[in-house]
């Protein structure tokens, strides 16, 4: 069990398998209780923030989508897909990650992420969890709970995202062949009409003579 003195510091040791932390402080209210766990050693919570880049898609005559791979400024690899038969730029948000603490509880076999506890604050030296549920008994200033609470570090990843923006001339190039075909048809019809007019005029002149 976890035992502590309300609003004061307790040096009672909390056993957690291969890791050891010390219960620094615990408080209780009508909803739940707050527990501050002190790390045996300082923990460095580092990560790699996501970065934004642009990738050019230059294969206008490609009949199928194609991939472009590379390395982001933050050192993370990217693998993005350009659309078929179009040119433009991909605005890419490169993936990143952060390492943060999570509150855990003993399930009888191992410590697992606790659905009843959440991290309130943390530093490299301690983690404060707010927990609900379990059996909590208050006797005077002393709080006793049957939950065995710990904390662990987890890695949260942000995925790579991409947005395609076509070049303005790509739209013009797409509409260009359609416009040329329409003009060609009109010119063809004009030539046919003009030749028919000449033939008809020659036919009537010959008939009248």
């Amino acid at each position: 069990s976890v035992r502590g003195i309300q609003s004061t510091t307790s040096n009672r040791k909390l056993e957690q398998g291969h890791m050891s932390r010390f219960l620094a402080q615990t408080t209780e209210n009508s909803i739940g209780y707050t527990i501050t766990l002190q790390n045996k050693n300082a923990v460095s919570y580092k990560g790699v923030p996501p970065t934004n880049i642009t990738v050019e898609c230059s294969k206008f005559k490609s009949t199928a989508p194609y991939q472009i791979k590379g390395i982001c400024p933050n050192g993370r690899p990217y693998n993005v897909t350009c659309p078929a038969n179009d040119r433009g730029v991909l605005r890419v948000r490169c993936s990143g990650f952060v390492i943060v603490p999570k509150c855990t509880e003993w399930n009888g076999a191992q410590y697992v992420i606790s659905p009843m506890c959440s991290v309130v604050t943390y530093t490299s030296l301690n983690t404060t969890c707010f927990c609900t549920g379990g059996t909590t008994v208050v006797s005077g200033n002393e709080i006793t709970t049957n939950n065995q609470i710990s904390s662990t570090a987890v890695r949260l990843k942000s995925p790579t995202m991409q947005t395609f923006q076509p070049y303005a001339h790509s739209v013009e190039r797409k509409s260009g062949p359609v416009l040329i075909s329409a003009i060609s048809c009109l010119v063809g019809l004009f030539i046919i009409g003009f030749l028919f007019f000449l033939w008809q005029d020659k036919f009537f002149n010959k008939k009248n003579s």
Side-chain angles (χ1 to χ4, degrees):
S1 64
V2 177
R3 298 172 64 86
I5 305 301
Q6 186 172 10
S7 301
T8 61
T9 299
S10 169
N11 289 326
R12 287 179 172 82
K13 187 175 181 181
L14 179 64
E15 296 294 340
Q16 305 173 52
H18 68 284
M19 298 178 62
S20 293
R21 299 181 190 272
F22 291 88
L23 179 61
Q25 180 176 322
T26 178
T27 59
E28 193 235 13
N29 56 37
S30 60
I31 299 176
Y33 53 91
T34 300
I35 295 179
T36 299
L37 301 165
Q38 184 176 338
N39 300 335
K40 184 177 181 180
N41 300 306
V43 178
S44 179
Y45 295 106
K46 294 182 178 180
V48 176
T51 54
N52 297 320
I53 62 171
T54 56
V55 178
E56 184 178 12
C57 297
S58 57
K59 297 181 181 180
F60 179 76
K61 295 183 179 180
S62 175
T63 58
Y66 57 96
Q67 294 182 325
I68 297 179
K69 300 179 181 180
I71 302 295
C72 294
N74 62 1
R76 304 286 292 172
Y78 67 84
N79 186 354
V80 294
T81 303
C82 290
N85 197 33
D86 206 350
R87 295 182 63 217
V89 293
L90 283 171
R91 303 196 182 279
V92 181
R93 183 172 178 80
C94 298
S95 66
F97 68 90
V98 293
I99 298 176
V100 296
K102 289 287 185 179
C103 303
T104 61
E105 63 180 359
W106 184 254
N107 67 356
Q110 61 182 345
Y111 280 93
V112 296
I113 302 296
S114 175
M116 298 186 297
C117 298
S118 59
V119 174
V120 179
T121 59
Y122 67 91
T123 68
S124 62
L125 299 176
N126 57 62
T127 301
T128 299
C129 300
F130 177 75
C131 303
T132 59
T135 302
T136 305
V137 178
V138 180
S139 178
N141 286 333
E142 191 174 74
I143 299 172
T144 303
T145 176
N146 64 348
N147 290 354
Q148 296 185 41
I149 307 301
S150 178
S151 65
T152 188
V154 298
R155 177 170 165 163
L156 302 178
K157 182 181 178 181
S158 57
T160 299
M161 296 184 292
Q162 65 178 57
T163 303
F164 180 71
Q165 181 177 346
Y167 290 140
H169 66 266
S170 294
V171 178
E172 294 172 0
R173 288 181 65 177
K174 282 184 175 182
S175 60
V178 177
L179 182 61
I180 293 174
S181 298
I183 294 175
S184 299
C185 290
L186 290 175
V187 171
L189 290 174
F190 175 79
I191 293 174
I192 292 173
F194 181 72
L195 292 175
F196 177 76
F197 174 78
L198 291 179
W199 175 83
Q200 191 178 40
D201 183 66
K202 184 177 180 180
F203 175 80
F204 281 109
N205 288 337
K206 185 177 180 181
K207 185 177 182 181
N208 291 334
S209 60

